[in-house]
Amino acid sequence: MNRSRRRFLAGLGVLGAWAAAGCAPLARGARVVVIGGGYGGATAAKYVRLLAPDIRVYLVDPSEVYLSCPGSNDVLAGLAELSSLERSRDGLSRRWGVELVRDAVAAVDGAKRQVRLQSGASLAYDRLVVSPGIDFRWNAIPGYDEAASQNIPHAWKAGPQTLLLRDQLRAMPEDGLVVLTAPANPYRCPPGPYERASLVAHYLQRHKPRAKLLILDAKSAFSKQALFQEAWRRHYPGRLEWLPYTRTGQIERIDAASRTVHCEFETFRADVLNVIPPQQAGAVARQAGLADAGGWCPVHPDSFASTLLPDIHVIGDACSASPMPKSAFAAGSQAKACAVAVVASLQGRPAPSPTLINTCYSFVTPDEAVSVAGVYKPKDGQLTTASGGETPLDADWREEARYAHGWREAAKDDSFR
Ligand SMILES: Cc1cc2nc3c(=O)[nH]c(=O)nc-3n(C[C@H](O)[C@H](O)[C@H](O)COP(=O)(O)OP(=O)(O)OC[C@H]3O[C@@H](n4cnc5c(N)ncnc54)[C@H](O)[C@@H]3O)c2cc1C
């Protein structure tokens, strides 16, 4: 290991102590395949190479450029362009020697330890890391399927859906009604619907002065609730209303043609309807047999190894890592713990027990943000919260916004550079 690599590792906290323990002989020629080049997979691929340059790492993803969901609510609110969400993976190949495979994994053959690609080719692995993100449970809300999402966007994966919702907001009448439905837990980015509602309310304030926004929630409580509600009281009084399911009842069906949401006790007809549907682990993980009946992938929290199949690890939104939320920050933290465990197992030595971290920042206006942070440790086969906290109500929320911007840039570098 050269000096600069060692110095870099020593600065990485969780990785530092492990790296300093000295390297056992590497499993030369070992192959790690990573499915999914988002925040989880890209980070895992990079850190395996950083820890063990003799291991070959293949990062498989069909997209040429990754589009980040963090920042996508800014695009909806007209505060940024879609191009600001682009993350090239070229640096992973140039700097770290990750082998980029632009293809989708069609199937995992755990017995043969290989993945079959959509192009027909196969890739053999010694360890497989699976980070495909989420898929939607189409029709879990009757009337909301993939076809309906072409008219009623979810915008819960960044890209054309983000632009569709942005353009619908731009085109709606000045006194129109925006309805956003938020799903029950667990789902990608617990505070995301409420950041979205805040920034859309800010957009309406400037461009559609008589318009309103309603959140129809499948929950009766949500992440950073007191902070969001204080922000809405301060900035969007009378414009943004949150309706828990205890008030409206469950959503019974959606009529996509008329943009109508039929709840048990009330019916809402929207000018712009944004449905954030119930979710599950990405299809490739479920088809591989990595998910349980709940649709998410159970893992050992010290290594993120699947509890269902050998030599396969699952990280990011697809895995069950409660009480960690499904966030890009969490995916990056899990990816590093997973990379340490994968390298250790290929070197035939035990991995240290990790400490995992998460901070979820949410913008409530373009220049004010709030956050929730947690530190997590494995205990008796489960992850437990070791400590945590939220932005105080009387803190400087502008300072939090500066930290939030700083985190976005740092995550971009950490995962993709
Ligand atoms: C509106 C919004 C705002 C958010 N804001 C924040 C925030 O501020 N902070 C934060 O921490 N998190 C935020 N998140 C959450 C964050 O986006 C996710 O938690 C994060 O992207 C999860 O990373 P991942 O690697 O699990 O999945 P993803 O980032 O979705 O990456 C999955 C990748 O797998 C690929 N893939 C899927 N199937 C296959 C296959 N069969 N073969 C090959 N590749 C495949 C996909 O192409 C994709 O590139 C936000 C989410 C949303 C929707």
Side-chain angles (χ1 to χ4, degrees):
M1 194 184 291
N2 66 35
R3 259 182 69 201
S4 61
R5 182 181 293 272
R6 194 168 306 164
R7 201 179 306 129
F8 183 58
L9 284 170
L12 287 174
V14 62
L15 302 180
W18 184 79
C23 282
L26 286 174
R28 271 178 200 282
R31 295 160 65 100
V32 173
V33 171
V34 181
I35 303 179
Y39 280 101
T43 312
K46 167 176 161 178
Y47 277 81
V48 169
R49 289 286 302 169
L50 190 152
L51 291 163
D54 289 350
I55 295 178
R56 291 189 74 169
V57 176
Y58 300 85
L59 178 60
V60 188
D61 198 296
S63 62
E64 186 176 1
V65 171
Y66 176 73
L67 286 174
S68 168
C69 283
S72 64
N73 288 331
D74 292 11
V75 176
L76 296 179
L79 302 168
E81 295 299 324
L82 194 73
S83 57
S84 67
L85 308 179
E86 291 177 359
R87 308 283 182 264
S88 164
R89 302 184 187 92
D90 291 349
L92 298 175
S93 142
R94 218 176 31 248
R95 287 194 185 79
W96 304 103
V98 172
E99 297 178 54
L100 302 177
V101 180
R102 192 156 163 224
D103 208 331
V105 170
V108 175
D109 186 337
K112 287 193 185 151
R113 291 208 296 205
Q114 66 178 31
V115 299
R116 189 165 47 75
L117 305 179
Q118 224 149 48
S119 60
S122 291
L123 269 178
Y125 64 80
D126 296 294
R127 295 291 181 278
L128 180 65
V129 179
V130 181
S131 187
I134 54 149
D135 272 336
F136 301 111
R137 291 177 184 273
W138 300 121
N139 272 321
I141 302 176
Y144 195 70
D145 57 12
E146 194 163 7
S149 74
Q150 301 311 305
N151 181 33
I152 310 291
H154 53 75
W156 219 239
K157 291 187 182 186
Q161 281 275 311
T162 315
L163 296 182
L164 181 63
L165 182 53
R166 181 198 67 182
D167 293 346
Q168 289 186 356
L169 290 166
R170 283 184 181 171
M172 69 181 262
E174 284 228 345
D175 60 349
L177 177 68
V178 181
V179 174
L180 181 160
T181 74
N185 292 318
Y187 62 95
R188 160 175 284 182
C189 197
Y194 314 97
E195 176 188 76
R196 174 171 293 178
S198 305
L199 294 181
V200 169
H202 179 267
Y203 171 82
L204 298 179
Q205 208 160 45
R206 285 194 308 164
H207 300 283
K208 313 276 175 185
R210 288 181 296 132
K212 287 196 170 175
L213 186 152
L214 285 183
I215 304 171
L216 304 184
D217 211 323
K219 306 177 287 302
S220 54
F222 61 91
S223 173
K224 291 182 272 191
Q225 182 166 349
L227 292 164
F228 277 113
Q229 287 183 320
E230 172 60 15
W232 299 341
R233 194 188 60 76
R234 284 186 203 169
H235 296 292
Y236 313 116
R239 186 176 300 281
L240 191 167
E241 198 179 351
W242 173 69
L243 303 180
Y245 85 97
T246 42
R247 151 98 185 260
T248 60
Q250 303 284 5
I251 297 177
E252 290 187 322
R253 70 187 165 88
I254 282 176
D255 179 23
S258 63
R259 296 198 172 105
T260 305
V261 186
H262 297 271
C263 299
E264 270 175 90
F265 312 137
E266 278 178 80
T267 295
F268 302 89
R269 206 201 148 281
D271 294 289
V272 174
L273 178 55
N274 173 206
V275 173
I276 303 171
Q279 297 155 32
Q280 57 192 336
V284 68
R286 287 179 288 117
Q287 285 157 9
L290 291 162
D292 61 18
W296 304 104
C297 304
V299 292
H300 296 287
D302 43 359
S303 60
F304 288 83
S306 166
T307 61
L308 301 178
L309 294 176
D311 304 322
I312 304 182
H313 299 244
V314 187
I315 56 173
D317 288 355
C319 77
S320 298
S322 173
M324 277 190 110
K326 298 186 184 299
S327 74
F329 197 127
S333 184
Q334 293 163 4
K336 289 170 204 169
C338 173
V340 167
V342 163
V343 172
S345 74
L346 289 170
Q347 292 174 342
R349 60 170 164 151
S353 185
T355 299
L356 297 141
I357 51 173
N358 177 67
T359 305
C360 283
Y361 293 100
S362 302
F363 284 86
V364 293
T365 70
D367 43 29
E368 287 187 13
V370 293
S371 68
V372 58
V375 177
Y376 308 89
K377 289 177 191 276
K379 195 176 168 203
D380 304 328
Q382 302 287 323
L383 271 184
T384 55
T385 305
S387 62
E390 280 188 0
T391 308
L393 278 171
D394 59 356
D396 179 358
W397 292 6
R398 288 175 174 264
E399 181 132 28
E400 284 279 55
R402 287 191 285 277
Y403 296 149
H405 283 298
W407 171 76
R408 280 187 193 169
E409 286 306 305
K412 185 169 156 182
D413 277 3
D414 195 26
S415 298
F416 297 98
R417 219 170 98 89

